[in-house]
Amino acid sequence: RQYKNTVSKDGLAQYAFPIPTLTIGGEMDGLCRLTRIAESLHTQITLAEDREKSTRELPVTVVEGMAHMQFASGKAPDFVRKHDLRSEISDEEAWAAVAKDTACFMQAQRGEA
């Protein structure tokens, strides 16, 4: 937890990443479960002293119906096949959603959103 390096006036840990960072989770991800993404939202944004800045610089999104392997393409490794959940959307829908979230994040970093 290298970047959890400051503390708020209330004693809550604060994140100070050196660059803006986007967290994208898949609702049906069997390897990085939704609860882990919820923890990111809670620690990076909900507990932040400056929520507006944290929302802009450390946004957290979830793609509904997306599984872990849909962050990639090709044949899933054995471990992923054994532990990932069944997706509810096509690969193309997942990739389009990730691309949209990424583009919005990049535009926000350039001050366009």
Side-chain angles (χ1 to χ4, degrees):
R1 306 276 181 184
Q2 175 182 349
Y3 299 111
K4 194 187 290 186
N5 58 5
T6 61
V7 178
S8 73
K9 63 181 179 248
D10 299 328
L12 300 172
Q14 300 292 294
Y15 280 87
F17 286 106
I19 60 171
T21 304
L22 170 63
T23 300
I24 303 176
E27 177 189 29
M28 303 303 291
D29 190 325
L31 283 82
C32 179
R33 297 292 176 111
L34 192 55
T35 51
R36 175 62 187 93
I37 304 305
E39 178 191 14
S40 294
L41 175 69
H42 184 69
T43 58
Q44 292 168 206
I45 296 175
T46 305
L47 297 179
E49 284 187 307
D50 186 345
R51 287 187 187 177
E52 185 176 320
K53 180 182 178 189
S54 292
T55 298
R56 186 177 58 256
E57 294 185 2
L58 300 171
V60 178
T61 67
V62 173
V63 177
E64 291 183 32
M66 184 176 178
H68 186 84
M69 186 57 198
Q70 290 179 301
F71 282 100
S73 62
K75 185 178 182 220
D78 288 342
F79 184 84
V80 174
R81 277 191 303 100
K82 290 176 185 173
H83 299 287
D84 205 0
L85 301 177
R86 187 169 293 146
S87 66
E88 296 177 341
I89 60 175
S90 70
D91 289 346
E92 290 75 17
E93 290 170 308
W95 298 333
V98 169
K100 181 180 177 184
D101 286 353
T102 303
C104 288
F105 172 69
M106 293 170 69
Q107 288 171 336
Q109 299 316 300
R110 294 181 57 178
E112 298 173 9

